[in-house]
Amino acid sequence: MRYGFWMPVFGGWLRNVPDEGMEASWDYVKRLTQRAEAIGYDLTLIAELNLNDIKGVEQPALDAWSTAAALAAVTEKLELMVAVRPNFHQPALFAKAAANIDRIAGGRLALNVVSSWWADEARQYGLQFDQHDDRYARTTEWLQVVDGLWSDDRFSFQGQFYRTDNAICAPKPVRKPTVYAGGESEAAKTMIATYCDAYVMHGDPPAAIAPKIADMQARREKAGGKPMAFGMAAYAIVRDSEAEAKRELERITTVRELPAGYANFDQWLSGTQLERELKIQEYAVSNRGLRPNLVGTPEQLKERIAEYEAAGLDLLLLQMSPQAEEMERFAAQVIGTA
């Protein structure tokens, strides 16, 4: 299993805990990332939202791509998986900038391609917001343009959304960045199996993850691509006793009055295709992070992770709070490298 962590660009992950002791600042993420690299983490996922989805839109949120460029220069081993939303980035210009960041990182850049769900954010920034299946049509073209510029000396393309005319991208990346993407609709899964390298999922139990992996493996084989990697989001709580872990779980999920971070709950739910309705308590932690049940003693978490490995999972993308302290604990007691 590879272990990644979500960069706390929003100043935390808990919608109903106002101050988690992990400010949205360059100083914090720099120290966190350098320490993570030293204690055994393989990857960081840097989310891209211009508005703060966790603490409320009035709160600060770090920019993903300038943060990634800065981290590329001050780290040595960590894979930098950076979210990118096609309707926010013209693909030819993006390909040029991302190739440069990959050069700075020495070939450690990866993309997490996200077909945008937040209509209000796009409206505030004056950007196009497509309906559900149109998002994946746009993303398909966007990926074709980026890949073409990274592959060919000159690249021309004419599609519904994008055009290039004998465009040049030089220097190119050290290697083509791994493209991760997630989605549960038919349009999403078709696009990912055809154009991406890895499938990332919201949190779910192993019994729900295994058939999703099998389905995507079959789609990938049909599309004729190389075998895919598989990752999943999860929120982790590790304690010396199960009772301690459950007390922490109760603390972070108790919702008495809906704070600012819940403002766009209804919009998010209506804009995505989930297989069952989320409970509002579950929304306290993003990305269905509590469903994997990585809550308990080190031994319990290791057993649970082994179940995911048996299901075919390669990568855990972890959220914790407060992140620096809890990542130290998880590394020492679960990863076993600190």
Side-chain angles (χ1 to χ4, degrees):
M1 185 67 72
R2 299 178 70 216
Y3 293 96
F5 67 97
W6 290 68
M7 185 67 62
V9 296
F10 307 118
W13 301 114
L14 305 175
R15 289 188 169 95
N16 57 322
V17 178
D19 184 2
E20 300 177 58
M22 41 202 281
E23 65 181 7
S25 71
W26 163 244
D27 180 64
Y28 184 86
V29 300
K30 176 185 175 183
R31 288 186 285 109
L32 180 74
T33 307
Q34 289 177 326
R35 180 59 183 162
E37 193 171 59
I39 60 176
Y41 290 90
D42 301 291
L43 176 153
T44 184
L45 168 54
I46 308 174
E48 181 186 55
L49 284 175
N50 297 299
L51 301 178
N52 194 319
D53 175 44
I54 303 297
K55 300 301 183 183
V57 296
E58 304 294 337
Q59 299 303 310
L62 298 181
D63 172 71
W65 282 91
S66 55
T67 299
L71 287 171
V74 298
T75 55
E76 296 179 355
K77 298 180 295 183
L78 208 67
E79 182 178 344
L80 302 172
M81 185 207 295
V82 194
V84 57
R85 295 172 298 164
N87 61 321
F88 279 71
H89 298 269
Q90 198 276 348
L93 298 177
F94 171 85
K96 175 71 173 179
N100 198 55
I101 294 173
D102 184 69
R103 288 272 169 176
I104 295 168
R108 293 182 288 119
L109 183 67
L111 309 184
N112 175 31
V113 180
V114 180
S115 297
S116 300
W117 58 268
W118 199 349
D120 279 354
E121 183 200 26
R123 178 187 54 78
Q124 286 191 28
Y125 284 82
L127 295 167
Q128 174 69 29
F129 185 80
D130 302 312
Q131 296 305 308
H132 186 275
D133 284 6
D134 288 343
R135 297 179 216 166
Y136 292 101
R138 177 185 294 278
T139 300
T140 295
E141 283 193 14
W142 190 93
L143 285 168
Q144 290 173 317
V145 173
V146 171
D147 184 73
L149 283 162
W150 285 345
S151 301
D152 300 346
D153 292 335
R154 289 181 176 268
F155 181 71
S156 296
F157 182 87
Q158 183 167 338
Q160 178 184 354
F161 301 98
Y162 303 110
R163 294 182 181 183
T164 64
D165 182 11
N166 223 22
I168 297 170
C169 179
K172 298 190 185 300
V174 174
R175 55 155 186 82
K176 279 191 186 178
T178 301
V179 178
Y180 298 80
E184 298 178 359
S185 69
E186 188 64 26
K189 289 186 283 190
T190 298
M191 183 208 75
I192 294 164
T194 307
Y195 293 102
C196 300
D197 305 302
Y199 185 53
V200 289
M201 296 163 277
H202 291 309
D204 261 321
I209 291 295
K212 291 181 181 182
I213 291 175
D215 174 59
M216 289 302 292
Q217 287 173 329
R219 289 170 183 266
R220 182 65 159 192
E221 185 174 351
K222 185 177 180 180
K226 297 183 296 184
M228 302 185 78
F230 296 94
M232 183 189 71
Y235 187 92
I237 300 172
V238 57
R239 294 291 185 272
D240 293 335
S241 72
E242 187 176 0
E244 289 178 275
K246 287 183 175 179
R247 281 196 295 271
E248 173 64 5
L249 178 62
E250 182 178 4
R251 181 186 75 85
I252 69 170
T253 56
T254 299
V255 181
R256 294 182 175 86
E257 295 182 4
L258 296 187
Y262 287 76
N264 62 303
F265 172 75
D266 290 332
Q267 182 184 148
W268 183 83
L269 190 60
S270 66
T272 187
Q273 293 184 10
L274 302 182
E275 69 272 32
R276 58 190 184 275
E277 186 172 322
L278 294 174
K279 297 177 182 177
I280 204 162
Q281 290 85 359
E282 200 170 25
Y283 193 67
V285 172
S286 66
N287 303 103
R288 303 205 302 244
L290 294 176
R291 290 190 190 180
N293 193 28
L294 293 186
V295 178
T297 65
E299 292 74 21
Q300 288 172 322
L301 265 65
K302 288 176 183 178
E303 290 175 5
R304 191 70 164 173
I305 291 167
E307 293 175 12
Y308 281 109
E309 288 180 320
L313 198 71
D314 307 298
L315 170 66
L316 279 171
L317 295 165
L318 299 169
Q319 295 176 348
M320 306 176 200
S321 179
Q323 190 116 347
E325 292 84 347
E326 293 298 322
M327 281 175 58
E328 292 276 356
R329 189 197 304 262
F330 189 93
Q333 297 185 322
V334 181
I335 301 176
T337 57

